[in-house]
Amino acid sequence: MNDAVEVALRLAGVLAAFLLLPLVVGQMEHKAMAHMQARLGPMYAGGFHGWAQLIADGVKFVQKENVVPGGADRVVFQLAPAVALIPYLIVLIVIPLGPGDLVGQSLDIGLFFVLAVMSVGVLGTLMAGWASANKYSLLGGLRTAAQLMAYELPMILAASSVAMAAGTLSLTGIVEEWRPSWLIWQLIGGLVFFVAGLAELQRPPFDMPVADSEIIFGAYTEYTGLRFALFLLAEYAGIVVLSALTAVLFLGGWKGPFDDQLGWLWTLVKTMLLAFVVIWARVSYPRLREDQLQKLAWAGLIPLALLQLAITGLVRVL
Amino acid sequence: MQIPGSGLAKGLVVTWRHLTKRSVTRQYPDEPPPLPPRSRGVIALLEENCTVCMLCARECPDWCIYIDSHKETVPATEPGARDRQRNVLDRFAIDFSLCMYCGICIEVCPFDALFWSPEFEYAELDIRDLTHERDRLRDWMWTVPPPPGHDPAAESPRELTTATAAAEPSAPAASPPPAASPPPSSPPPTSPPPASPPPASPPSPSGEPGSGR
């Protein structure tokens, strides 16, 4: 009985984080991006500097008509947003927030689990692209597939470097093994992981799959209303998960002053800082071309990730 | 040689600078925009001054001023005098959907009946409502600002120059020369009289003091 209550509490906490953090990141994107472009961003919704803008957006999306194109594969089309969104919720369960037991569910193969489930999210986009019966959606889906192929590899290589360094696959274990010196000798791995994660989330500057000037909105072209909102939410949940994962793997998660009491705060601060960097990169850089994207992955990130693996191996052996 | 990736860093710096600087955006409907003096927002009519001379309507490039009037006879006040006739304004309307805000009507009005007002928020849902009739044009009169002061670096107005040149105590000695020989010899000796309004006369390429009638 007690166990059931505890599990329910943990899951409720994870769900709350899952519903709240993407909205915070989305609002941060609204405002930070606006000011980086010398604008103000939303100012009216909610009264104070547009804090309720995303809630208003949500209400708007709910009211919209839910259109399924005539030629679409109905079931797959309607299922796709859920497939895109739910993996991020599942990933959040195993990401540790603080020391000890402050985690949804500690898994010994946490890192493996996280990477496997995260790439399921991309399948949602593939499903959407294939089921929409629209050439732009199909092109977007193809681009997504190519991007997934190219960036999954460096991401996993970089993550395995951390696993080698810590000697464990458990995310909690990795943070416990983390030392500030990792910031230096895991730097390449961290950068590769973060960039590859950005590409996998299809965030600008790696947003070729949804490049609106070329293929309308890629795989999401035919989506309206709530399903479209779910795709957007999946994008922001993806930012949260990627930032949290990078913070846990490469920036020491809850490690920081007073981490016995304030560990959870450190994790959140690091996550939010990384989310800010995601937004910052989005505002600063133009979209890569499709061939540049592939070149960056195969000729840039993968050799770097292999180099990081070699360095980690050397340091561990010596 | 350039460090690889310095361009990427530069991009980040640019956006960061914008983020830390205050945005110059003005929240327009909440915050009225600062309009420059002599803003051309809407044309106001001081109908008491209008004599129905029709100059404005005739000069208007796109014929957007409509004037109707009739004549009234003013009976003679003195014995032996004749009755006089007077124009009475029936309708004065400006169609702001045609108006191109050139201001020629205001320039041309000999009786100071038309004025610029800086008000600009008179958009309408129906284009016919953009034709402002005389009472509405009269109401705009309340929003006409007093004429702006003289611009700091501008030449002083001609009225002022002539008036000071005439009223200056040293005028008897100095006033005949500028009138007689404006361009060549006047600058050195005549610098005292017009010196008081503008300090700008030393170069005096235009012979400005002499141009007063």
Side-chain angles (χ1 to χ4, degrees):
Chain A
M1 184 59 211
N2 232 354
D3 285 355
V5 171
E6 195 189 326
V7 167
L9 273 181
R10 281 166 189 272
L11 290 185
V14 169
L15 189 65
F18 179 72
L19 291 179
L20 190 64
L21 289 179
L23 290 187
V24 173
V25 172
Q27 185 68 21
M28 180 160 80
E29 172 161 51
H30 266 321
K31 295 305 275 188
M33 182 159 79
H35 282 281
M36 282 177 173
Q37 296 170 340
R39 299 182 287 118
L40 288 178
M43 289 296 282
Y44 278 92
F48 180 75
H49 286 258
W51 66 269
Q53 183 62 45
L54 287 176
I55 300 169
D57 282 349
V59 171
K60 183 196 77 176
F61 276 126
V62 169
Q63 290 169 343
K64 288 200 167 182
E65 187 186 0
N66 216 336
V67 181
V68 181
D73 186 338
R74 282 193 80 88
V75 180
V76 180
F77 183 86
Q78 292 182 328
L79 219 58
V83 175
L85 185 60
I86 290 178
Y88 293 119
L89 172 63
I90 295 174
V91 168
L92 269 189
I93 294 178
V94 298
I95 293 182
L97 186 61
D101 216 15
L102 202 51
V103 51
Q105 174 62 51
S106 186
L107 273 188
D108 285 342
I109 53 160
L111 185 56
F112 180 78
F113 178 81
V114 160
L115 291 174
V117 174
M118 253 182 95
S119 27
V120 171
V122 184
L123 286 183
T125 314
L126 289 182
M127 285 165 65
W130 184 249
S132 289
N134 178 318
K135 60 183 172 186
Y136 297 112
S137 301
L138 186 58
L139 275 175
L142 287 176
R143 287 187 178 192
T144 311
Q147 202 157 319
L148 174 68
M149 297 276 284
Y151 282 88
E152 197 72 353
L153 192 54
M155 195 169 172
I156 287 175
L157 287 177
S160 59
S161 149
V162 180
M164 270 170 68
T168 170
L169 278 174
S170 153
L171 291 176
T172 318
I174 287 174
V175 179
E176 267 157 13
E177 291 292 318
W178 187 85
R179 298 286 171 273
S181 63
W182 285 30
L183 282 179
I184 297 161
W185 65 284
Q186 294 289 348
L187 175 69
I188 305 175
L191 288 177
V192 169
F193 185 85
F194 194 62
V195 171
L198 270 187
E200 206 171 306
L201 294 178
Q202 302 161 16
R203 285 288 297 174
F206 305 107
D207 60 339
M208 282 66 76
V210 293
D212 45 2
S213 47
E214 300 164 26
I215 50 173
I216 320 245
F217 209 53
Y220 314 136
T221 303
E222 294 288 354
Y223 280 88
T224 54
L226 199 55
R227 291 206 159 76
F228 182 71
L230 287 182
F231 272 123
L232 289 187
L233 185 62
E235 183 176 336
Y236 290 100
I239 296 175
V240 171
V241 166
L242 172 73
S243 306
L245 214 52
T246 312
V248 163
L249 293 180
F250 294 95
L251 300 181
W254 66 75
K255 293 273 177 85
F258 311 107
D259 53 7
D260 286 341
Q261 288 87 37
L262 292 178
W264 57 273
L265 186 63
W266 286 113
T267 312
L268 278 183
V269 165
K270 288 169 182 173
T271 304
M272 281 301 152
L273 278 180
L274 284 171
F276 176 77
V277 173
V278 171
I279 294 163
W280 194 5
R282 182 217 164 134
V283 182
S284 302
Y285 300 137
R287 180 187 305 134
L288 269 71
R289 225 166 42 217
E290 193 62 33
D291 62 309
Q292 291 170 331
L293 172 90
Q294 296 293 337
K295 193 175 175 210
L296 176 66
W298 295 106
L301 294 185
I302 290 180
L304 280 177
L306 289 173
L307 174 71
Q308 175 65 58
L309 269 184
I311 294 173
T312 313
L314 273 179
V315 171
R316 287 293 286 178
V317 169
L318 294 179
Chain B
M1 168 177 158
Q2 244 194 346
I3 311 161
S6 64
L8 295 179
K10 221 180 257 175
L12 288 179
V13 168
V14 168
T15 40
W16 181 261
R17 284 227 186 96
H18 279 294
L19 179 72
T20 48
K21 254 188 256 164
R22 253 192 118 67
S23 170
V24 295
T25 309
R26 291 206 187 85
Q27 295 282 85
Y28 157 57
D30 301 336
E31 189 185 327
L35 294 173
R38 304 182 190 85
S39 284
R40 299 180 168 199
V42 69
I43 295 169
L45 166 73
L46 188 60
E47 65 183 53
E48 293 88 332
N49 279 0
C50 182
T51 61
V52 202
C53 68
M54 303 291 286
L55 280 180
C56 51
R58 284 199 301 190
E59 294 295 330
C60 178
D62 35 17
W63 292 71
C64 67
I65 303 182
Y66 309 108
I67 300 178
D68 290 339
S69 66
H70 66 272
K71 284 189 193 300
E72 268 179 11
T73 308
V74 184
T77 45
E78 294 170 31
R82 279 196 301 177
D83 290 352
R84 285 171 177 269
Q85 290 214 310
R86 192 170 71 93
N87 288 325
V88 178
L89 193 62
D90 290 332
R91 179 185 184 218
F92 193 109
I94 298 179
D95 186 350
F96 284 106
S97 66
L98 292 178
C99 177
M100 61 186 198
Y101 300 88
C102 63
I104 288 178
C105 52
I106 295 165
E107 295 286 324
V108 87
C109 179
F111 299 104
D112 277 351
L114 292 172
F115 294 89
W116 276 120
S117 154
E119 293 295 313
F120 59 93
E121 292 165 314
Y122 51 93
E124 299 284 355
L125 294 175
D126 189 334
I127 196 171
R128 286 167 295 189
D129 295 338
L130 275 173
T131 304
H132 292 195
E133 295 294 337
R134 71 193 262 197
D135 43 349
R136 198 154 173 214
L137 290 172
R138 182 63 182 81
D139 281 344
W140 288 124
M141 216 37 228
W142 304 113
T143 63
V144 172
H150 214 58
D151 284 345
E155 291 179 353
S156 57
R158 184 175 290 168
E159 296 87 337
L160 189 64
T161 333
T162 18
T164 32
E168 203 71 7
S170 58
S175 60
S181 58
S185 62
S186 56
T190 53
S191 46
S196 55
S201 34
S204 105
S206 59
E208 184 255 346
S211 64
R213 275 160 274 156

